[in-house]
Amino acid sequence: MKKYIDSFKKYRFLLRELVKKGIKLKYRRSYLGIIWTLLEPLMEMAVLSVVFSAMYGKKDRAFPVYILTGRLLYSFFSQGTKTAMRSIRANGGMIKKVYVPKYMYPLSCVIFNFIIFLISLIVLAAVATVLGVYPSLWTLTAIIPLFTLFLLTLGVGMMLSTMAVFFRDLEYLWEVALMLIMYTCAIFYDPSMLAKTHTDWILKINPLYGTIKTFRDAVYGSSMFTEPYWIVMPLVFSFVTLLLGFWMFKKNQDKFILHI
Amino acid sequence: MPNYAIEVNDISMKFNLSQEKLDSLKEYFIKFVKRQIKYNEFWALKHINFKVEKGDRVGVLGLNGAGKSTLLKVIAGVFKPTEGQVIRHGRIVPLLELGAGFDSQYTGRENIYLYSSVLGYSKQFVDEKYDEIVEFSELKDFIDVPIKNYSSGMKSRLGFSIATLVDPDILILDEVLSVGDAKFRKKSENKIMGMFDSGVTVLFVSHSIDQVKRLCNKAILLDHGELKAQGNIDEVAAIYEEMTK
């Protein structure tokens, strides 16, 4: 254990550099640069709000906030897992030539996406204020779903990055899986719609929906502790995923070099 | 008891050269069910045993494909050997592939920090040595240019300047004394010679037997992954010259 901590300390600077590189290169050579972090979710929110408001024909003023919370959390999960999955192959050249602890690659991907995600929460704050959704003390509890979401994304990212080294098809399969996950997260519909058809068990087994739901509670300024299931289930799920992810990665990392 | 810097204990390294590239799950699954996965097992290194004493300068000789670079990468920790283990005493600086870890979209300045972090330096250390790196690489005018616009010589110069920043206990050199133009080559050779004088242990690969003879006092000879000879440079070099005749 001490060995790992020492090695982590030694390569802390590397982690920081990799995170910085991820953020810097994501928007380099685009005119608006980092502003896209704010602009992109805003534009997507506008489109989704217009489409679904028209579809449901309802006049909920705060509907964009509802969409935006779901969309932001989902897109961090999707971006984080996708870049982490590709990180080993993308850094193949480096891995073949110098020794660095390999978990740094997926870890740095998840961290840099998380930072971009945190920046984009500014948009949420702005939109919420404009549309009259004001924070309360409960809003501070948002840290719980954010923490859970980070663990979940890292765990899934570690697993995917390990598997994708051996089966490149996974990169395509995961796109499809992500689509399925998106539609079962109640990003742009009301979960009570599923209850009508008795398919709301899908939400119950989806840890990502749990984090979105509790995060929404926090944003709307209400307590998320009335139904602890939505906090506990995702948290437990994320911890298990994380342990499993690191275990898989550690067990297979010496073989990576023969497959990239 | 002699003081060892590197102990290489019975190392073997196996590569699976798959005959067809099995990149997809479907292919893999079908082949797996039909039990058709064939690997050409290829042992790049077979039961290599040797020890390097502190302060020795060891030349690694062998023809192309003898396993020289693989051996150095195993010692540097990039490859994990299939069997056996390497014990290292002291700080290793591998000058194997200069600039592995450079990002082509990054500028020279950004790459100095990136590559330093890859080599495991601390930020504070790089901050202190930054000017020294730029000066040694002679790239002051290009330091804020993206590295994709650098020539390959410029890239190696920058890589060399960063990698030789620390005083190592063990230095691993793979054909790096041929970096850049004649002027820089002389400078880099001087720098490495300076390290030699400070009593560093060296592993050195070069195809120039004269250079090896000039720089090393011991040598090992590899042939098809096997250790053919080890000992004093003159003896081993004689066997190698015999082989290449």
Side-chain angles (χ1 to χ4, degrees):
Chain A
M1 194 64 203
K2 192 179 173 306
K3 205 177 85 193
Y4 291 115
I5 295 172
D6 283 349
S7 139
F8 182 79
K9 270 193 190 147
K10 183 178 172 199
Y11 284 100
R12 230 175 5 187
F13 179 38
L14 173 70
L15 185 62
R16 205 161 98 184
E17 282 296 316
L18 288 176
V19 168
K20 219 156 84 182
K21 179 175 138 188
I23 297 174
K24 271 186 175 174
L25 291 186
K26 183 162 176 157
Y27 297 108
R28 182 159 289 189
R29 307 205 57 155
S30 61
Y31 287 105
L32 293 178
I34 198 89
I35 297 173
W36 274 115
T37 322
L38 308 176
L39 221 50
E40 201 193 349
L42 200 62
M43 287 157 86
E44 248 192 76
M45 178 204 74
V47 172
L48 288 173
S49 304
V50 168
V51 170
F52 286 98
S53 299
M55 214 157 109
Y56 301 142
K58 62 177 173 185
K59 298 267 178 290
D60 180 4
R61 213 165 92 84
F63 189 52
V65 177
Y66 184 86
I67 288 186
L68 195 57
T69 45
R71 205 286 346 177
L72 284 174
L73 267 64
Y74 166 78
S75 76
F76 161 64
F77 177 77
S78 124
Q79 286 298 325
T81 50
K82 270 196 282 189
T83 45
M85 175 171 65
R86 299 203 185 101
S87 63
I88 299 295
R89 190 152 68 86
N91 290 293
M94 218 197 274
I95 292 174
K96 276 187 212 166
K97 287 165 189 162
V98 278
Y99 170 79
V100 293
K102 294 181 191 63
Y103 68 86
M104 288 288 174
Y105 298 113
L107 178 63
S108 69
C109 285
V110 174
I111 294 180
F112 96 67
N113 277 294
F114 195 65
I115 292 173
I116 289 178
F117 161 68
L118 289 181
I119 296 173
S120 65
L121 288 182
I122 297 172
V123 175
L124 180 63
V127 171
T129 316
V130 170
L131 296 181
V133 179
Y134 298 116
S136 75
L137 268 180
W138 286 115
T139 307
L140 293 175
T141 56
I143 197 147
I144 299 171
L146 292 184
F147 176 69
T148 312
L149 182 64
F150 180 80
L151 295 187
L152 180 69
T153 310
L154 182 58
V156 175
M158 293 295 278
M159 275 187 198
L160 290 172
S161 68
T162 310
M163 291 190 280
V165 173
F166 302 102
F167 307 113
R168 214 161 281 178
D169 299 44
L170 197 63
E171 293 180 10
Y172 304 99
L173 285 171
W174 184 240
E175 291 282 346
V176 181
L178 274 175
M179 202 160 81
L180 194 67
I181 293 170
M182 183 180 78
Y183 284 111
T184 55
C185 275
I187 294 175
F188 32 71
Y189 56 83
D190 191 336
S192 59
M193 285 166 71
L194 289 183
K196 276 183 222 155
T197 53
H198 300 286
T199 44
D200 51 341
W201 58 270
I202 292 173
L203 300 176
K204 284 220 148 180
I205 59 164
N206 183 349
L208 191 58
Y209 173 68
T211 61
I212 291 178
K213 181 183 161 26
T214 46
F215 185 73
R216 269 179 190 147
D217 287 341
V219 169
Y220 283 101
S222 55
S223 165
M224 62 174 74
F225 299 103
T226 46
E227 287 173 282
Y229 174 83
W230 298 110
I231 304 171
V232 176
M233 191 278 288
L235 198 58
V236 171
F237 189 96
S238 303
F239 263 112
V240 173
T241 314
L242 191 64
L243 287 179
L244 209 62
F246 267 90
W247 176 76
M248 265 174 78
F249 194 87
K250 190 175 172 330
K251 200 160 172 272
N252 290 297
Q253 60 179 353
D254 292 333
K255 284 185 263 169
F256 286 177
I257 204 152
L258 306 173
H259 293 266
I260 44 177
Chain B
M1 195 188 134
N3 211 349
Y4 292 121
I6 306 169
E7 297 173 49
V8 174
N9 295 330
D10 201 25
I11 277 186
S12 298
M13 184 78 204
K14 181 178 80 174
F15 288 101
N16 287 331
L17 307 173
S18 40
Q19 286 167 320
E20 309 131 88
K21 209 137 174 56
L22 291 174
D23 262 341
S24 74
L25 184 61
K26 189 182 112 200
E27 252 181 273
Y28 187 87
F29 188 72
I30 294 171
K31 293 259 158 72
F32 182 79
V33 171
K34 292 185 179 168
R35 297 189 182 280
Q36 275 180 348
I37 301 176
K38 288 191 208 111
Y39 286 120
N40 265 349
E41 284 191 358
F42 172 71
W43 291 88
L45 296 172
K46 296 169 210 158
H47 303 287
I48 307 283
N49 263 304
F50 68 92
K51 291 184 168 67
V52 179
E53 278 175 43
K54 278 206 172 119
D56 267 353
R57 301 185 300 277
V58 181
V60 181
L61 299 172
L63 304 172
N64 277 339
K68 299 185 299 287
S69 294
T70 309
L71 178 65
L72 293 192
K73 281 187 178 173
V74 170
I75 292 173
V78 180
F79 288 162
K80 182 162 178 149
T82 318
E83 290 162 19
Q85 59 164 343
V86 181
I87 304 171
R88 315 167 185 92
H89 304 279
R91 184 190 177 97
I92 293 195
V93 170
L95 300 186
L96 290 176
E97 313 241 2
L98 294 170
F102 279 170
D103 190 287
S104 62
Q105 294 187 65
Y106 254 26
T107 64
R109 182 194 301 274
E110 289 166 321
N111 267 308
I112 289 179
Y113 282 92
L114 181 64
Y115 189 41
S116 301
S117 70
V118 168
L119 295 175
Y121 302 168
S122 71
K123 175 155 190 337
Q124 194 194 357
F125 180 75
V126 188
D127 282 338
E128 280 167 22
K129 298 278 187 167
Y130 178 80
D131 293 329
E132 197 180 308
I133 300 171
V134 177
E135 198 183 323
F136 192 84
S137 64
E138 301 169 16
L139 288 168
K140 203 172 176 47
D141 298 335
F142 301 96
I143 208 68
D144 286 315
V145 174
I147 210 165
K148 63 183 167 195
N149 299 332
Y150 279 28
S151 72
S152 57
M154 286 157 84
K155 266 187 245 171
S156 343
R157 260 153 60 189
L158 191 60
F160 183 90
S161 310
I162 300 166
T164 53
L165 211 55
V166 287
D167 290 323
D169 303 310
I170 303 164
L171 189 64
I172 302 182
L173 299 168
D174 191 354
E175 300 269 11
V176 281
L177 293 184
S178 45
V179 168
D181 52 23
K183 192 170 141 243
F184 191 81
R185 193 147 63 217
K186 205 161 167 208
K187 204 163 126 185
S188 58
E189 229 183 286
N190 282 342
K191 181 144 186 178
I192 292 206
M193 283 315 209
M195 288 182 176
F196 278 23
D197 291 338
S198 65
V200 67
T201 309
V202 182
L203 279 178
F204 181 55
V205 167
S206 168
H207 282 287
S208 152
I209 184 86
D210 295 327
Q211 205 177 26
V212 175
K213 272 183 175 168
R214 192 152 47 89
L215 295 176
C216 302
N217 61 344
K218 299 235 172 104
I220 59 174
L221 175 60
L222 292 176
D223 184 31
H224 292 101
E226 286 171 56
L227 190 63
K228 279 283 180 238
Q230 56 177 319
N232 281 328
I233 176 73
D234 294 327
E235 298 163 24
V236 180
I239 303 173
Y240 179 65
E241 274 167 346
E242 195 62 38
M243 238 170 76
T244 49
K245 252 176 201 160

